[in-house]
Structure formats: structure tokens, C-alpha cells
Amino acid sequence: MESSRRQSGIQQLLAAEQEAQQIVNAARNAKMARLRQAKEEADREIAAYRAQMESEFQKKVAESSGDSGANVKRLEQETEAKIANLKQQAAAISPDVVSMLLKHVTSVKN
């Protein structure tokens, strides 16, 4: 009788151990499934964020490219105006410079 009780107790322990193992396996599988799901969600969020940032970057590049032509044109106009101003100033003082040079070159010092 005592041996059958021991046998019954051992069987109960084995059954409890198997049940505990099944619970642990189920929990492990649920955890792995949740981790997989979280990774997939994160990948989707990353892809959406990357697409948004890329779109904003392309928009800014397009805006700055469009402005680039206007900036170049404006800079060319400013440069041309400065060159014309310098030429006008040089033309205004050119006769004075030439006469001063001739005066110094033609005068003889002892």
C-alpha cells in the first residue's frame, strides 16, 4: 500500500512537472511571439519615419535648388554692378594717374 502511495505521489510529481514545463513553454512561446510582433511594429515605424524624413529632405533639396538659380542670378547682377562701379571709378581717376606718372617719369633729378 505504501509503495502504491509512493508510486502515486511520484506520478503526481511527474504530472506536475510536465504541466509546469508546458506552462513555461507556453510562456516562452508567447514571449517570443510578442518580441517578433514588437520587432515588426518597430520596423514599420522606422520605415515610416525614414520615408517621412526622406520626403522632407527631398522637399528641402528641391526648394534650395530652385532658390539656387535665383541666388546665382542675384550674385551675378551684384558682381556686374560692382565691376561697373570699379570701372567707372578707374575711368574717373585714370587721367590724373596718367598725368602724375608722366610728370614723375619726365622730370629729371640731379
Side-chain angles (χ1 to χ4, degrees):
M1 183 153 331
E2 188 150 327
S3 74
S4 70
R5 245 192 274 168
R6 279 190 214 161
Q7 194 70 343
S8 173
I10 292 174
Q11 291 299 326
Q12 286 179 339
L13 285 174
L14 288 174
E17 184 179 351
Q18 286 178 350
E19 184 180 348
Q21 188 63 39
Q22 289 174 352
I23 292 170
V24 168
N25 287 339
R28 185 176 293 133
N29 290 340
K31 179 182 175 184
M32 294 301 291
R34 179 62 187 127
L35 285 174
R36 235 184 332 272
Q37 180 184 4
K39 183 181 182 312
E40 290 170 359
E41 288 175 10
D43 287 343
R44 281 193 300 270
E45 287 180 19
I46 290 169
Y49 181 76
R50 181 174 286 136
Q52 178 187 359
M53 290 292 111
E54 181 67 24
S55 172
E56 289 178 15
F57 174 73
Q58 293 300 332
K59 183 179 176 183
K60 286 184 180 184
V61 166
E63 288 174 359
S64 66
S65 295
D67 291 346
S68 170
N71 287 336
V72 168
K73 191 174 231 180
R74 181 183 54 81
L75 287 174
E76 286 176 354
Q77 290 172 346
E78 289 176 4
T79 303
E80 291 297 323
K82 289 178 182 179
I83 290 172
N85 187 23
L86 287 174
K87 284 183 179 180
Q88 182 184 8
Q89 290 176 352
I93 62 169
S94 180
D96 294 336
V97 172
V98 170
S99 67
M100 184 181 67
L101 285 174
L102 285 175
K103 180 180 151 189
H104 285 292
V105 170
T106 57
S107 65
V108 178
K109 288 190 177 181
N110 289 338

